[in-house]
């Protein structure tokens, strides 16, 4: 894409262009459109919450930082070459425009790691004197690999990034030694230097996210989920959350969450679609404080909340409903006691069904997460999960089921020692290592790739059958096909989020 074409895009969007904006750090974020193989992504853009938090924090500390969300400027394409050409042109324009001293590249998901590598390499090609930093969960656990994968990476930030990135950018600009900075990895005399881990920072120091750092239309059209805490006290084997953010919950001040909601509502007319903390514990005082505060603001009518089946209770459901949250998603994951044991979930299928039933009886729309192909699974164990999904729907205790293929994400014990868990990793094509992938990246002893795919396909077919039944039943009660009835007092218009939970607008989803 030429500079003239980019300028024409800006004019069509009504954006004002500033020339030669000198910044200390430019944070570049690959997104869904960086992938030629986009598979089951349902959102228009990938929301760069991590990058926005980094930039907001650095700016609050007088370190001028901007964000380049590639998803906003890239045109979706099935051609990797076309995406690469567009990316190079956009980066060339941005580096000339912002003239940063440091470029930070965010790799928020493993499947975006290859795109992040290309970005760093293009940046070095365009401006060889730039300092380049990469961060995110994937490179946190594979920092040595990252430094070997690309000579264009100068420094890897490991773990929580705000305080580490601020100190690193400041040291690089001033020409100071970086060996004292905790939480980084870099090369020195052909060796990799890994500094001590940085302690987790006080989240009370984090400012309210500054959405003005992103293009206005980008913010208006994103499916945004809020995050009110960092860390998780549970250690589910398939998840690296407690490793990355800590094995305790650090809660962001409720007032900050309220101000973020208000900013999105008042300035961008965008109501977030979910509260996506690792889990909301309904026995915590913070949960009730947050729900109480949310009663004072308009929420997306289909906003959802994530929780665990062993932490929900009637008081929590009542607080949700009073706040205007009518959707809950619970991580069931499997109906096999054997697999649940391997997951370290510490729940039972009965407890899961009971939690779903209680939530549904309270009038909540209950969604569930499931995984096929986790260690301990085989065709017989997977059949228990498929049967449970069918039964939960038949009993009316769930309204949706998202079924994922197991991925042994970097950082988890199953990635670090796959043989111990009977895992054979089939590919290191990282673009395939996503939650929404449609092809297994592993197989198990006693559960081949073909068998895993067959079980997953059957589970999805069961869920899709019930989802369509539920939608058809509800649509038949509505005289106007452009509106979807929820209860007796509320209708969903064409431009609102689809009630099926896809994240798309109703007119672009189930209305069809």
């Amino acid at each position: 894409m030429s500079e003239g074409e980019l300028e024409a895009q800006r004019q069509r969007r009504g954006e004002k262009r500033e020339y030669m904006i000198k910044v200390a750090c430019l944070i570049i974020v690959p997104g869904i459109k960086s992938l030629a193989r986009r598979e089951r992504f349902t959102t228009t853009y990938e929301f760069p919450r991590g990058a926005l938090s980094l930039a907001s924090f650095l700016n609050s500390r007088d370190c001028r930082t901007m964000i380049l969300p590639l998803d906003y400027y890239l045109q979706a394409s099935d051609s990797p070459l076309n995406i690469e050409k567009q990316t190079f042109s956009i980066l060339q324009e941005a580096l000339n425009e912002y003239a940063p001293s440091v470029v930070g590249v965010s790799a928020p998901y493993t499947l975006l790691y290859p795109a992040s590598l290309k970005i760093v390499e293009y940046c070095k090609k365009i401006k060889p004197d730039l300092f380049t930093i990469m961060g995110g969960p994937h490179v946190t656990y594979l920092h040595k690999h990252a430094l070997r994968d690309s000579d264009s990476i100068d420094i890897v930030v490991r773990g929580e990034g705000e305080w580490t990135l601020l100190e690193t950018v400041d040291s690089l600009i001033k020409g100071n030694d970086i060996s004292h900075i905790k939480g980084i990895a870099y090369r020195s005399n052909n060796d990799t230097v890994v500094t001590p881990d940085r302690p987790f920072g006080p989240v009370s120091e984090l400012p309210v996210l500054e959405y003005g750092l992103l293009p206005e239309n980008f913010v208006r059209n994103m499916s945004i989920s809020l995050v009110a805490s960092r860390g998780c006290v549970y250690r589910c084997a398939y998840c690296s959350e407690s490793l990355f953010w800590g094995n305790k919950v650090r809660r962001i001040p409720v007032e900050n969450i309220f101000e973020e909601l208000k900013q999105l509502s008042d300035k961008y007319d965008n109501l977030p679609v979910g509260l996506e903390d690792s889990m909301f514990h309904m026995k915590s005082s913070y949960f009730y404080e947050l729900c109480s505060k949310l009663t004072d603001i308009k929420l997306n009518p289909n906003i959802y909340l994530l929780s665990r089946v062993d932490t929900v209770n009637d008081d929590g459901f009542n607080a949700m409903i009073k706040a205007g949250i009518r959707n809950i998603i619970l991580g069931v994951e499997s109906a096999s006691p054997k697999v649940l044991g391997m997951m370290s979930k510490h729940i039972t299928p009965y407890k899961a069904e009971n939690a779903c039933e209680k939530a549904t009886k309270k009038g909540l729309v209950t969604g569930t997460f499931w995984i096929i192909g986790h260690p301990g699974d085989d065709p017989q164990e997977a059949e228990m999960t498929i049967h449970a999904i069918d039964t939960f729907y038949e009993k009316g205790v769930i309204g949706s089921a998202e079924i994922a293929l197991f991925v042994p994400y970097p950082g988890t014990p199953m990635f670090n020692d796959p043989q111990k868990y009977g895992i054979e990793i089939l590919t290191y094509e990282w673009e395939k290592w996503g939650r929404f992938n449609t092809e297994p990246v592993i197989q198990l002893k006693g559960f081949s790739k073909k068998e895993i795919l067959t079980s997953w396909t059957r589970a999805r077919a069961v869920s899709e059958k019930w989802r369509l039944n539920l939608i058809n039943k509800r649509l038949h009660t509505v005289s106007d096909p452009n509106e979807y009835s929820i209860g007796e007092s509320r209708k969903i218009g064409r431009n609102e989020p689809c009630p099926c939970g896809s994240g798309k607008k109703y007119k672009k989803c189930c209305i069809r």
Side-chain angles (χ1 to χ4, degrees):
M1 185 182 302
S2 69
E3 182 173 338
E5 288 171 325
L6 281 170
E7 182 62 29
Q9 276 191 8
R10 289 192 185 89
Q11 291 176 1
R12 285 196 297 272
R13 295 175 183 134
E15 295 175 1
K16 294 181 180 179
R17 177 179 178 180
E18 297 180 65
Y19 287 84
M20 293 305 294
I21 307 172
K22 179 69 176 178
V23 300
C25 181
L26 176 64
I27 298 177
I28 302 171
V29 192
I32 297 167
K33 293 179 184 176
S34 297
L35 302 169
R37 186 175 183 264
R38 290 179 298 280
E39 300 214 341
R40 294 192 294 140
F41 279 105
T42 56
T43 53
T44 306
Y45 301 124
E46 173 57 37
F47 171 40
R49 172 171 286 277
L52 187 56
S53 180
L54 292 169
S56 300
F57 180 77
L58 265 62
N59 278 305
S60 73
R61 300 298 183 93
D62 298 321
C63 180
R64 193 169 189 205
T65 303
M66 300 295 288
I67 306 175
L68 178 68
L70 284 177
D71 258 3
Y72 186 61
Y73 299 102
L74 281 171
Q75 299 297 314
S77 173
D78 294 329
S79 165
L81 182 60
N82 180 275
I83 292 171
E84 290 172 12
K85 286 181 177 179
Q86 286 189 69
T87 300
F88 188 88
S89 178
I90 293 166
L91 292 174
Q92 193 168 40
E93 167 84 2
L95 293 177
N96 289 331
E97 183 172 326
Y98 293 113
S101 300
V102 179
V103 162
V105 179
S106 171
Y109 305 110
T110 290
L111 83 169
L112 291 176
Y113 172 64
S116 298
L117 284 180
K118 287 190 174 76
I119 291 168
V120 172
E121 289 162 4
Y122 292 163
C123 286
K124 280 288 193 181
K125 186 174 182 179
I126 296 165
K127 289 193 176 294
D129 58 337
L130 276 174
F131 292 110
T132 57
I133 301 173
M134 189 178 288
H138 182 91
V139 295
T140 289
Y141 305 117
L142 298 179
H143 46 273
K144 292 181 180 179
H145 292 80
L147 291 168
R148 287 199 298 265
D149 286 344
S150 177
D151 292 337
S152 297
I153 303 173
D154 293 323
I155 300 169
V156 171
V157 167
R158 298 165 20 245
E160 188 170 51
E162 285 85 357
W163 292 267
T164 305
L165 183 61
L166 175 65
E167 188 176 356
T168 304
V169 171
D170 184 63
S171 294
L172 291 174
I173 290 174
K174 292 176 179 177
N176 294 339
D177 177 54
I178 63 171
S179 63
H180 67 284
I181 299 175
K182 293 181 178 179
I184 64 172
Y186 60 96
R187 295 181 209 84
S188 179
N189 298 322
N190 296 321
D191 291 328
T192 299
V193 177
V194 182
T195 66
D197 294 344
R198 179 180 291 270
F200 294 108
V203 294
S204 59
E205 293 184 4
L206 299 176
V208 177
L209 296 188
E210 188 182 343
Y211 281 90
L213 294 170
L214 297 170
E216 182 175 340
N217 286 340
F218 184 65
V219 179
R220 286 184 178 277
N221 289 284
M222 284 190 295
S223 292
I224 297 175
S225 295
L226 302 176
V227 176
S229 66
R230 292 181 176 180
C232 183
V233 299
Y234 296 90
R235 297 179 183 269
C236 298
Y238 54 83
C239 180
S240 62
E241 191 81 4
S242 62
L243 296 171
F244 190 84
W245 294 117
N247 193 225
K248 67 177 183 178
V249 179
R250 293 172 294 141
R251 297 182 173 91
I252 295 169
V254 168
E255 191 59 37
N256 285 23
I257 304 302
F258 181 79
E259 288 302 318
E260 184 179 343
L261 268 167
K262 199 167 182 301
Q263 178 186 174
L264 287 166
S265 174
D266 295 350
K267 187 172 181 180
Y268 300 101
D269 193 29
N270 188 340
L271 302 179
V273 298
L275 292 160
E276 285 206 341
D277 291 48
S278 299
M279 55 144 291
F280 274 98
H281 199 302
M282 291 189 181
K283 296 175 184 176
S284 69
S285 59
Y286 181 89
F287 174 80
Y288 293 99
E289 181 186 358
L290 178 63
C291 286
S292 176
K293 190 69 175 177
L294 293 180
T295 60
D296 299 331
I297 193 168
K298 180 183 177 181
L299 296 178
N300 186 318
N302 291 316
I303 190 171
Y304 61 84
L305 177 150
L306 304 183
S307 192
R308 284 178 57 101
V309 302
D310 53 354
T311 68
V312 296
N313 56 49
D314 286 343
D315 288 341
F317 294 147
N318 292 335
M320 283 177 59
I321 293 168
K322 187 175 181 181
I325 304 170
R326 299 301 179 103
N327 295 267
I328 187 168
I329 302 178
L330 300 172
V332 179
E333 315 306 355
S334 177
S336 160
K338 177 184 175 184
V339 175
L340 289 171
M342 292 290 288
M343 290 178 170
S344 300
K345 284 292 290 186
H346 304 296
I347 64 172
T348 64
Y350 170 78
K351 186 175 288 187
E353 182 178 347
N354 189 47
C356 292
E357 183 179 7
K358 285 183 176 180
T360 301
K361 282 184 176 179
K362 280 289 183 179
L364 296 172
V365 178
T366 308
T368 49
F369 287 143
W370 307 78
I371 298 173
I372 297 290
H374 188 281
D377 219 348
D378 61 29
Q380 291 71 41
E381 303 298 322
E383 192 62 37
M384 296 169 67
T385 293
I386 296 168
H387 177 72
I389 293 170
D390 197 28
T391 301
F392 281 24
Y393 270 116
E394 186 176 19
K395 291 182 176 180
V397 300
I398 62 172
S400 68
E402 175 66 52
I403 301 109
L405 289 164
F406 170 69
V407 179
Y409 289 113
T412 63
M414 296 170 188
F415 179 88
N416 295 334
D417 191 1
Q419 290 185 343
K420 177 181 176 181
Y421 297 92
I423 296 171
E424 179 188 354
I425 294 176
L426 301 173
T427 178
Y428 286 98
E429 292 180 59
W430 298 118
E431 293 96 335
K432 296 181 179 180
W433 284 54
R435 177 169 163 244
F436 295 107
N437 64 322
T438 57
E439 180 184 352
V441 297
I442 62 102
Q443 62 184 3
L444 305 171
K445 291 180 179 178
F447 206 11
S448 68
K449 173 183 175 179
K450 182 179 179 180
E451 290 170 329
I452 291 173
L453 189 57
T454 297
S455 294
W456 175 75
T457 302
R458 288 190 56 236
R460 289 194 68 219
V462 167
S463 180
E464 184 67 5
K465 173 194 72 175
W466 283 107
R467 187 183 75 88
L468 293 176
N469 283 345
L470 288 169
I471 290 171
N472 287 333
K473 185 185 295 184
R474 292 164 184 164
L475 287 177
H476 288 156
T477 67
V478 182
S479 57
D480 182 354
N482 292 330
E483 292 184 328
Y484 178 105
S485 177
I486 290 194
E488 297 179 357
S489 60
R490 170 117 170 80
K491 290 186 176 181
I492 299 298
R494 290 170 55 86
N495 291 309
E496 294 192 62
C498 186
C500 76
S502 68
K504 298 179 184 179
K505 290 183 178 180
Y506 175 44
K507 68 181 180 182
K508 292 184 178 180
C509 193
C510 293
I511 193 175
R512 298 180 298 179

